[in-house]
């Protein structure tokens, strides 16, 4: 291992993230190969660098907005793509993940980058439903028709499999331990 | 030779999910300078970053007993890196009255020696009703130390966390 190597995190559809060491001069596609990511296939594998925060800037009035977070060319080097700073790489065949969030008989929509964390989607939903006071602290996103509550650091893309590029959440109050 | 539970714990510390939280400054393992020699497996010391509050630290340490990890969850509570003992009540994080933060970090139960949460072994074993009331928080084969750290980090960065006084 060279002294210049550093940790990056490779996220992909329907899988847990992987930790891979990267060197500044090598092409990103070589890092992805070590992580077991195949860039081939009938549908192109899109490679996103960094985690996407764009939805947090969206006005409350906008519904069904869309992140602009663009895929990169994986033949570029790790250094060119500033991976030491961004740390995260997300590989997915969905360009966006269509999210709907239900709360109190209302539904909000957004087309997120697959490289968006659950923490960001939760903040976006709280803002959209005007739940910004202290009571908002206990709300979590629960996958519709399930009891599954994804972790805050999970990426949306880890929850969906192309070609089904959508996920539905209910915004629910986390249970406070009693008894 | 390390026991299977210690090997499982140390393997999870090398997984991306733990390393992501460390890289984001959310949590980590305590350094050797902080941990006294008499603390060894199955007891481990970790830290979790907390939101800024007046007169409160920017991280809290926890001492966890991880025996039989990860068949069963850890148990533990806040730990003082200065006195090397369980944190005094006036040095522990507090939550707004009635909040989830206040409930999980309560000190009026079990002498404050465990978290009041299903991811704490002692709390879970003494509250079998939780399995029905909050099934998504019941420790299972897919849970790791990261699930507990996630919960503690969310609570320590919640609007309901008010500091140590």
């Amino acid at each position: 291992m060279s002294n210049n190597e550093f940790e990056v995190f490779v996220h992909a559809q329907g899988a847990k993230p992987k930790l891979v060491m990267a060197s500044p001069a090598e092409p990103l596609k070589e890092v992805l190969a070590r992580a077991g990511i195949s860039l081939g296939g009938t549908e192109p594998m899109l490679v996103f660098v960094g985690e996407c925060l764009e939805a947090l800037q969206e006005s409350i009035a906008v519904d069904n907005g869309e992140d602009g977070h663009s895929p990169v060319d994986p033949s570029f080097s790790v250094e060119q793509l500033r991976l030491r700073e961004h740390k995260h790489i997300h590989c997915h065949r969905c360009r966006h993940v269509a999210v709907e969030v239900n709360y109190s008989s209302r539904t909000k929509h957004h087309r997120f980058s697959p490289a968006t964390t659950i923490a960001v989607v939760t903040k976006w939903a709280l803002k959209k439903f005007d739940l910004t006071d202290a009571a908002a602290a206990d709300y979590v996103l629960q996958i519709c028709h399930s009891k599954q509550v994804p972790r805050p650091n999970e990426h949306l893309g880890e929850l969906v499999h192309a070609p089904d590029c959508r996920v539905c959440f209910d915004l629910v109050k986390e249970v406070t331990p009693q008894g | 030779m390390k026991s299977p539970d210690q090997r499982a714990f140390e393997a999870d510390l090398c997984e991306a999910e733990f390393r992501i939280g460390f890289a984001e400054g959310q949590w980590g393992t305590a350094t050797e300078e902080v941990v006294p020699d008499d603390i060894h497996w199955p007891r481990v010391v970790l830290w979790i970053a907390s939101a800024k509050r007046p007169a409160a630290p920017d991280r809290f340490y926890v001492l966890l007993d991880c025996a039989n990890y990860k068949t069963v969850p850890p148990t533990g509570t806040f730990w003082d890196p200065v006195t090397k003992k369980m944190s005094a009540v006036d040095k522990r994080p507090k939550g707004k009255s009635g909040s989830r933060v206040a409930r999980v970090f309560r000190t009026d139960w079990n002498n404050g020696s465990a978290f009041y949460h299903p991811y704490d072994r002692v709390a879970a074993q003494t509250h079998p009703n939780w399995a029905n009331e909050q099934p998504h928080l019941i420790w299972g084969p897919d849970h790791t130390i990261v699930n507990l750290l996630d919960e503690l980090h969310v609570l320590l960065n919640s609007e309901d966390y008010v500091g140590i006084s």
Side-chain angles (χ1 to χ4, degrees):
Chain A
M1 179 165 59
S2 92
N3 287 338
N4 283 331
E5 283 193 338
F6 56 92
E7 291 181 347
V8 294
F9 305 106
V10 180
H11 305 255
Q13 57 183 13
K16 288 190 170 190
K18 290 181 181 173
L19 188 158
V20 186
M21 302 306 291
S23 298
E26 67 180 332
L28 174 55
K29 62 185 179 185
E30 290 185 10
V31 178
L32 297 178
R34 286 203 300 280
I37 300 290
S38 168
L39 297 174
T42 50
E43 292 294 321
M45 180 66 85
L46 305 172
V47 180
F48 301 87
V49 166
E51 293 180 323
C52 184
L53 304 172
E54 289 178 32
L56 298 180
Q57 306 304 319
E58 186 178 75
S59 157
I60 290 179
V62 174
D63 191 32
N64 214 11
E66 183 175 288
D67 289 345
H69 193 202
S70 299
V72 301
D73 180 345
S75 62
F76 284 6
S77 74
V78 162
E79 189 169 37
Q80 286 172 313
L81 294 167
R82 294 163 56 207
L83 270 171
R84 193 187 290 272
E85 173 189 340
H86 291 299
K87 302 186 193 86
H88 296 269
I89 306 152
H90 196 112
C91 301
H92 217 286
R93 299 194 193 277
C94 297
R95 175 68 181 83
H96 292 99
V97 178
V99 171
E100 63 176 54
V101 181
N102 306 309
Y103 173 75
S104 188
S105 304
R106 291 181 291 159
T107 303
K108 300 292 180 184
H109 305 83
H110 189 86
R111 291 167 55 76
F112 287 91
S113 161
T116 307
T117 63
I118 292 299
V120 167
V121 181
T122 306
K123 277 186 193 170
W124 168 86
L126 292 172
K127 180 179 165 187
K128 288 289 179 177
F129 290 114
D130 201 22
L131 290 168
T132 49
D133 58 5
D138 290 346
Y139 282 92
V140 293
L141 292 176
Q142 184 177 68
I143 294 178
C144 297
H145 313 298
S146 83
K147 294 290 183 189
Q148 188 184 345
V149 177
R151 294 178 41 248
N153 286 344
E154 279 188 68
H155 283 195
L156 274 176
E158 294 171 31
L159 303 176
V160 301
H161 290 263
D164 192 9
C165 303
R166 60 189 172 164
V167 62
C168 166
F169 296 108
D170 294 322
L171 188 62
V172 298
K173 204 153 194 209
E174 183 60 287
V175 178
T176 299
Q178 305 286 347
Chain B
M1 186 171 160
K2 292 178 181 176
S3 58
D5 53 357
Q6 184 176 8
R7 289 202 302 271
F9 181 82
E10 291 178 357
D12 281 344
L13 297 188
C14 297
E15 289 290 328
E17 288 162 315
F18 181 87
R19 297 297 303 172
I20 287 171
F22 179 73
E24 302 292 342
Q26 296 173 336
W27 55 64
T29 51
T31 57
E32 288 181 5
E33 302 86 70
V34 172
V35 183
D37 291 340
D38 63 345
I39 291 183
H40 41 75
W41 185 262
R43 297 189 300 162
V44 296
V45 179
L46 302 168
W47 58 263
I48 301 105
S50 54
K52 284 188 179 175
R53 299 289 185 267
D58 59 4
R59 66 171 58 172
F60 287 91
Y61 288 85
V62 294
L63 174 64
L64 301 175
D65 180 329
C66 297
N68 297 319
Y69 183 87
K70 53 194 175 175
T71 306
V72 293
T75 182
T77 193
F78 294 104
W79 184 78
D80 189 329
V82 177
T83 64
K84 315 293 185 191
K85 294 179 179 172
M86 187 167 77
S87 287
V89 171
D90 63 357
K91 288 187 176 178
R92 293 185 181 215
K94 311 290 190 308
K96 290 177 182 169
S97 178
S99 70
R100 197 160 179 268
V101 178
R103 198 73 179 159
V104 174
F105 297 159
R106 62 188 289 191
T107 54
D108 61 349
W109 171 80
N110 210 52
N111 298 318
S113 63
F115 295 112
Y116 198 67
H117 189 283
Y119 289 164
D120 185 287
R121 184 167 76 240
V122 171
Q125 287 172 348
T126 52
H127 294 81
N129 53 308
W130 286 352
N132 292 325
E133 294 168 6
Q134 37 200 335
H136 63 286
L137 292 178
I138 299 305
W139 192 270
D142 293 334
H143 284 83
T144 72
I145 189 66
V146 171
N147 292 96
L148 174 60
L149 293 171
D150 256 336
E151 286 286 301
L152 298 177
H153 184 260
V154 165
L155 293 168
L156 290 171
N157 290 273
S158 153
E159 291 293 319
D160 286 342
Y161 161 61
V162 296
I164 57 172
S165 55

